[in-house]
Amino acid sequence: MKTLRRALALLAMCAAWLVPPSSTAQVDVAASARDLIVRMDLEAARRLLVVADPDEPRVALERARLAVYEMDCDAASVILVRPDVQKTDDGAALAEIAHGCSRATAAVVVTHDGENGIDVEWQDERDAPLGPLLTATVVQARDMLSRDLGVDWPRPTRVVVVRDALSLSAMTGLPYASAQTTGTVAVAKWGRVTILSPRATPHGYVWRDTIAHELTHLAVTRASGDRAPLWLQEGVAKYEETRWRPSQPFDDWPPADALAKRAVESGQAFALDKLGPSIAMLPSADAAAAAFAQVTSFVRFYLTHEGEGALPKLLRAIRDAPNVELALRAASGSDIRAWDARWRAYIATRPGDPRLLSMGLGGPAKNDKKTLASYRDQRDRARLAELLVSNGHAAAAVRELDQLGAMPGAAVSPELRERRLGDPTLRWLRGVALEQSKASSDAEERNLFEDPGQVISPYGPWWASRGRWQRGRGDEPGASTSFSQAVANDPLDPECACEALPGSNSPRSSDPLCVAAQGWALSPFDD
Amino acid sequence: MQPALTQPLFALAERWRSTLRGPERRAALATLALSVVCSSLWARTAPGRSRAWEVALVALLLVAAIASSAIGHRRRRDPSRVLLGPLKQIDPARASRALRALSLLGPDGDVTVDGTSAELARLHVVRVIHDLPSEAAVSWVALRARRWSAAGWVVAGLAMTIALANAGSVLEGADLLMARKGVAPFAMQWLEDAEVTVRPPDYLHAKVSSSDLVGSIFVPNGSLITVRGVPTRSDRRLMLSDGSNEVAFADDGSATVVARWSVTESRTLRVVARFGDVVIPEKLSLTITSVPDDSPEVHLEGAPRRVSLVDEVRPLPIRYEATDDHGLREVHLVLRSAAREERRVLSRLDGETRSDKGGYVLNLRDPFLARSHAPVEVTVEAKDNDPLTGPKWGASEAITVFPPPVGEGEALCLDALRALRSALVDTLDWRLGRDPPEPTKRKSFAADDVARAGADTKAVAEALATTRGGARIPAPLRTIILAAQETMTKAVSAEVASTSREAIAKVVESTERLVLITDAVVRGLAVRDARSSAVQLSDVADDLAQGLGQEQSEAPDRRSHGSSRASASVAVLVEGAAVLRRLGQLGHDLGEIVETDVARVERAEGDHDLPHAELAARDLAARLHDPDPSFSSRGSGPPMGGEAGGAGGAGDDEPQSPGDVEQAFGEAQDLERLVQEHAGQLGKTQGALSVAATGEEEKEALQEARQHARAVRDAVAPLPRVSGGSQSWTSKASAARDLAEQMARGLEEGRPEDALQSGRSAMGSLDEGRRMLESGGWLSDPSGEGLAAVTDARRKLESEARWAEEQVRESHRRAAERARGELQQDGEDEDKLADRARDLAQKGRESSSLPQEAIESIGAAERASRDAAEALKRGDGDRGMEQQRQAQRELEQAEGALQGSEENRDQGSDDGASSGRSPVQGPVDIPTTHKGPDEFRRRVMKGLAEPANGSIKDAWHRYAEGLLR
């Protein structure tokens, strides 16, 4: 593959020298350059463009595109000021992105890691303490993707950490409304990963897996010549996003098969080839979650049937075949409809997961008065408990939480009890209240923290509380894993980054991440 | 040649020279004199050219003299040339012979021809020279000398004659020829009996004064100086000059000349005579010192000083005194902040008042202060009445008001609410920690609860009532908290009445509810305040971007302006970011973004990379214009990995704006909308009822109305036209006459309702007049004619008013018939509005978000609205409108109960919270010349006197009714 690309680049260079100055020939050069750029062969594209006629609008457009890929958004903006360039097919859209990128990255802090081949632009320089973790993630994910997909990586790998969804939108061209609707936190486009800072969300998110997810998109784009369909892009990205590290309790959570089954059964599933231009542009976050579950489940199903090496084979086929249908048939012997039918038959045989209901997923929303009152009661009691804890009345907080019936023995409906039992925020809050009131018992703490399987979603502070509990019991390896999970979920929460409750002695008080978290944090109970 | 040989020749030449020298010199001098005289005369018309001519002539003469002398000298030293002179003229043969003889010898006396004897040659030369006719030549030269002499005398005589004939002109010319820098060196007298009058500018209203054209005078700037005199010589261009500017004298037709000079600055004036580009001045001059019209002086009490708005609780009293040397025209209050300026007229004066004193109350919530984030300079500036150089402004020292950082007031309110919440959480903890009492201790248990509830009530009142940094907790939110607090107080009262387990649980429950509501208010308000503060800061960020853009300009002043603008903006943003961080999670999020982006701007500025600094500022502005959270998702929880899609999660614990708070704001807005829409509905019904009658009906009605109008005028014709005093019956009668005229006009113009109104007022006046007559006794109406006239007019007017009333009723009936369909539709619409009122009252009751009075008023409005709907549906327009008006009044009352409470409390807390002017607490002298109230009254009276359209008139009625209530 590498040899082929080199040959192509050489051919392109030779062609460039032979390019007659006619308009048609210049357009051909521009098209070749575009192919090289989207495959991230930027050096070859530059060589091709440097000898082309810069006055030709399409050539100018590709020069601007190259500048955007190389993070020289100012240069791209300058080129795209030309009205004739803006009138080309992608001209106006690219101009908007170049301007957005130029604005969002003006005077930001840039770290160049020549050794690892990573350039990171930090819109908020206070995020820079995340650098070591980010670098480690990128390095491991690149290695894994090279192995799994057979791709090589042009250096440097570019990552931009933005402070908010508006900047994410400006940098990538994703409509802001879509970013807000679907809760998009990262986009892999223009040869780079643009990712939202974990500080932008109230309790962080799985940012390291997200980086791996986005790198997978870049790899798939490179391997397929940017011709992979959305289902494949997203399915492979979901498949690969956790493979760069050892497996963890929430890796298949919510379970993709179960969620996809729910979606298929409720008629909310999408046809695989009709997902639209991006999952980030689906009408809601729940729809996006369902679509992710579908494509994840499908790709796993495909790999189970086609075995190891199936993905590089399929990506190569897609790159070389006239269309995806033929490529899929060439690689696997069946077209997408056949695979879809097979997968739907398979998914129908998969067992459901009752835990989805307790997560509020996969079932019709219950809006009866009793349910709503229960939810409201839970919200109110939890809030009262938070306020009581923050005022130093931990015992009263425990009393409020007791009234929730979350604990065994309380008289609430099994479904709600399940939900409350699995709610990591309630567990964490109760743990903190018990810790402060010094009324905690070993049995109760064990009940709260021992088994991650009892918790329905990852929550950084819960992991941190678990780590402290494990450390208190002398289980340092377990504590280390828990704190690692905490930081992977919510790196800028002081409890996660400093491995201690705010106000208490931290073993990591000099760690830059802990310092950054302490500088940033609100009170966990603030309004 | 040996000198001895030629000596006789040289002697001869010397004799000639001595004979000619005198006459030649005389002739030259005479020529020179003539040329000077001619040049002098010419100099009067073209001094420049004549001076050049004169210089050239003199130079020519000198050159000629020198050349002549040099040539003569050489001639006299050259024997050949001596021979060629007069000798050649007298005896050419002998002269030629002598020349030939001389040619035999060279310069050193040697023989030049070979073979010739030197001795003989010398001898020959001596003899030939000796033979020359020397005496004859001398005589010839003497003759020439006499001729030269004669010519010289002739020229001298000519020069003398011309000079004597034009002595004055020649002197002027000579003076002009000696001029330097356009001014002749010798002054001359040009005017006799010169007199000077000074007329100060009209706006000063000062007297005219006079003076001589000598010495010095002080005059107001803008004065007109008139110089008048008799010219000493005619046909001279006389000017009044200050050395650089001139004004020509004009003949006034009576042998005197006049020039007028406007004084704009201090000058020395002289009369000059202008000859081309040169003037000859008079010796005497008049020094004028211009006394300028000074700028007004303004004294602002307490200025200069600095005021921090956060520390202020009362409005800022602005007391000033402005004075001017001549007169003031306007006094302004000027507010300046960064690039913004606002001027407010404090006083308009007649331009003659030299002093003005007054005051103004600058509200803490003044819109300008509210919009300003950079320091605001408050000055009072006065404008004088100078029409000459344009009005001049004088400014006082400044009171510099430091506005609180953006959102500071709101943050203080939130802090207060947080403190309240904390106190209530403590109460909750206290109540949760108590076990139910023993039967014997129930009383003290309840008493403790009462005491605690009392303390909490006080804390709630204190937290809600105070204005902080110019901000207050919005009324709807106060209402919610107060309602919850009242519920808690009632629960405590119930517990006191019966200290049962259930009653205790109720108290705890109501305390929990109060805590949660306060918490919801804190969180909801924080979101709202964070958004509004961010939007305000977005303007500052825009300003920063513009400032940075200006800094990249080529123009130094623009650069400097941009730099200071950018610095001020950065300071405001930094402060604003710190405050934003206190406004809940959204505020914290946005505050961080402001800090981050300001850091980017500063980083770029530090690198002298202004374009990127500007881009970063624009990025910040774009972000703040859209103050959403940095991350949001319309899903069921936080992002779960991948690039998008929330799923699962920990439930509804996201910091959304609590629903109760949004609902409270929503209900206040609903009420406002309902009031507006109902007013529109009322106007619509009125419009339907006032649909114009058909042309035929209208024509008929107008014809009849004209007859009644005539009857009205006849009825009041005997009444006096002029009042005999404000407290006399005649004043009432004349007023009644005027009102009757209005009634008649109303009838003629087809406005029976207005006519009826005027008729009733006229009757009222007549009633008063009659009472005065009756109480005044015989003295006020000795003949009894007055009383009879008044009574008769009253009776006739009453009859006409009854007719007008009937017309109104009839026109309404006909309009209702015509608009039956529309009225039915209006009735249905009114019903819908009644439904909305009902729902609003219900929601307000359930959520306790509206005060009780408002809920009651909305209920009453709903009832009136239903009645109106019914009446309209059955086509009873009058009744329908009456009920609609009632409903509208009730709705406005409800709105007042919701908003007015805030204003009332504002007044109570003496912070002048309402916008615009408000009374000063201290003794502030309001200028007596201020015409604001008079002007307002005049406009109101004028407005009331004019016919108005239905909706406005209705609003007037409601306003008046409100005043009466």
Side-chain angles (χ1 to χ4, degrees), chain A residues 74 107 185 393 399-400 520, chain B residues 426 432 512 592 603 612 643:
Chain A
D74 293 341
V185 290
H393 308 308
R399 228 176 267 188
E400 284 290 352
W520 170 71
Chain B
D426 289 346
L432 283 171
E512 285 174 342
E592 266 205 347
R603 190 180 304 130
H612 279 113
E643 65 206 7

Side-chain angles (χ1 to χ4, degrees), chain B residues 854-876:
Chain B
I855 292 171
E856 283 169 11
S857 292
I858 294 169
E862 185 215 338
R863 287 190 293 279
S865 200
R866 297 254 184 245
D867 287 348
E870 271 181 38
L872 292 173
K873 280 181 198 166
R874 64 171 183 268
D876 185 350

Side-chain angles (χ1 to χ4, degrees), chain A residues 74 99-100 102-109 122-126 163-167 170 176-177 179-188 196 199-206 209-210 213-214 217 234 238 241 253-254 259 278-280 284-286 288-289 292 358-361 376 378-381 383-384 386-388 391 393-397 399-400 403 419 423-425 456-459 519-527, chain B residues 414 418 421-435 508-509 511-513 515-516 519-520 522-524 526-527 581-586 588-597 599-605 607 609 611-624 626-655 658-660:
Chain A
D74 293 341
H99 289 138
S102 191
R103 206 186 66 206
T105 57
V108 298
V109 169
W122 307 94
Q123 200 181 35
D124 187 340
E125 62 185 315
R126 289 172 291 195
R163 180 60 182 76
D164 50 47
L166 189 69
S167 298
Y176 183 40
Q180 287 181 306
T181 303
T182 53
T184 304
V185 290
V187 173
L196 198 62
R199 74 175 61 229
T201 62
H203 295 295
Y205 66 96
V206 284
D209 287 353
T210 302
H213 180 106
E214 299 306 324
H217 284 315
E234 294 300 347
K238 287 297 288 181
E241 72 182 20
W253 187 257
L259 202 54
S278 164
I279 286 187
S284 71
D286 290 340
F292 270 130
S358 63
M359 288 179 73
L361 290 171
R376 191 176 177 128
Q378 176 176 329
R379 187 194 70 185
D380 290 349
R381 298 276 170 217
R383 183 63 187 158
L384 285 170
E386 283 179 357
L387 292 170
L388 285 161
N391 266 29
H393 308 308
R399 228 176 267 188
E400 284 290 352
Q403 292 186 55
R419 184 184 168 110
D423 189 331
T425 58
I456 57 174
S457 62
Y459 180 57
W520 170 71
L522 282 166
S523 154
F525 310 113
D526 211 329
D527 41 61
Chain B
L414 271 177
R418 286 191 187 108
R421 181 181 66 185
S422 183
L424 295 173
V425 168
D426 289 346
T427 298
L428 176 63
D429 173 60
W430 178 74
R431 290 203 165 116
L432 283 171
R434 293 196 307 168
D435 292 326
V508 171
E509 193 185 317
T511 309
E512 285 174 342
R513 171 91 183 137
V515 169
L516 285 168
D519 181 53
V522 169
R523 295 157 78 191
V527 171
R581 272 171 165 266
R582 290 157 56 197
L583 298 178
Q585 282 204 356
L586 178 60
H588 188 268
D589 182 17
L590 295 170
E592 266 205 347
I593 286 172
V594 176
E595 286 173 356
T596 299
D597 287 354
R600 284 167 61 194
V601 169
E602 288 177 335
R603 190 180 304 130
E605 273 190 306
D607 294 343
D609 180 7
H612 279 113
E614 185 186 348
L615 275 175
R618 293 206 183 283
D619 194 37
L620 174 60
R623 178 66 182 90
L624 293 175
D626 200 344
D628 287 333
S630 289
F631 169 81
S632 65
S633 162
R634 279 164 216 154
S636 329
M640 295 294 295
E643 65 206 7
D652 187 18
D653 66 342
E654 290 302 301
D660 293 343

